Amino acid sequence: MQLQFELVSYDTVLDKFNLDETMYQMEISDEDAQTYEILKSSDMNLYNWLKESAFFLNYICDEVYPNSKSKKIAISDINGITYRRFYFFKVTSSDAHYAYFKKFFTIFEESDWQDREEIGDEILAHLSVKRQELIFDIECTPLV
């Protein structure tokens, strides 16, 4: 099975994400493909599985950032499942992103009249913590 993914890099100094804009492809084993099929319906389980998988981290070090001594990255997209809203959410983001995060963070809206900025600020507060969980450090040592 082919796994397609995109990455974002994290700039610690600016506290900012930058889209890599490269679509990477890798072949995964049949066993990993079965795991992928089980986890793809839960976007965060899929993300965490891939983030912790040795085959994925090895591919990142070997093919994507081969000589990177220290780099902070996160996954932007996996086979069409997007995580970009986690990195690029703004108070002016679309209703679909608001709905997703209100459900994801269990944010109760008191009424339809509640200020959108207030909800957006609450989402951003939750995201400041969640983003740190999604970032992972790549320590790739060059082959000698």
Side-chain angles (χ1 to χ4, degrees):
M1 175 182 171
Q2 283 282 331
L3 189 67
Q4 292 185 326
F5 62 93
E6 287 183 85
L7 301 171
V8 292
S9 59
Y10 177 67
D11 184 328
T12 313
V13 174
L14 298 175
D15 188 26
K16 172 182 161 183
F17 291 91
N18 297 302
L19 188 59
D20 184 323
E21 295 190 34
T22 303
M23 181 64 72
Y24 299 99
Q25 290 187 9
M26 65 182 290
E27 190 71 31
I28 61 174
S29 70
D30 290 340
E31 183 179 326
D32 290 328
Q34 289 176 343
T35 303
Y36 169 84
E37 289 299 324
I38 292 168
L39 296 176
K40 73 179 182 182
S41 63
S42 172
D43 56 356
M44 294 317 298
N45 286 338
L46 176 62
Y47 187 100
N48 290 326
W49 168 70
L50 205 55
K51 176 183 170 187
E52 296 169 10
S53 296
F55 73 88
F56 182 72
L57 297 175
N58 289 338
Y59 181 87
I60 297 293
C61 282
D62 294 344
E63 302 294 329
V64 181
Y65 302 116
N67 294 314
S68 188
K69 291 187 179 171
S70 180
K71 188 164 188 79
K72 292 183 180 285
I73 64 169
I75 303 169
S76 171
D77 294 84
I78 305 169
N79 283 2
I81 300 169
T82 187
Y83 301 90
R84 290 181 190 197
R85 65 181 112 209
F86 284 91
Y87 317 121
F88 303 113
F89 179 84
K90 294 179 174 36
V91 174
T92 56
S93 291
S94 73
D95 290 341
H97 298 300
Y98 272 83
Y100 177 87
F101 285 125
K102 284 193 308 188
K103 182 178 178 185
F104 187 82
F105 293 123
T106 318
I107 296 172
F108 178 71
E109 202 170 6
E110 292 178 22
S111 72
D112 292 338
W113 301 103
Q114 191 167 357
D115 189 3
R116 182 181 174 104
E117 277 190 39
E118 186 179 313
I119 297 294
D121 288 340
E122 188 173 348
I123 290 170
L124 285 171
H126 286 288
L127 278 175
S128 68
V129 174
K130 189 65 178 172
R131 286 175 179 149
Q132 295 305 311
E133 293 173 15
L134 298 176
I135 296 169
F136 49 107
D137 292 318
I138 296 296
E139 295 287 336
C140 303
T141 53
L143 297 174
V144 179

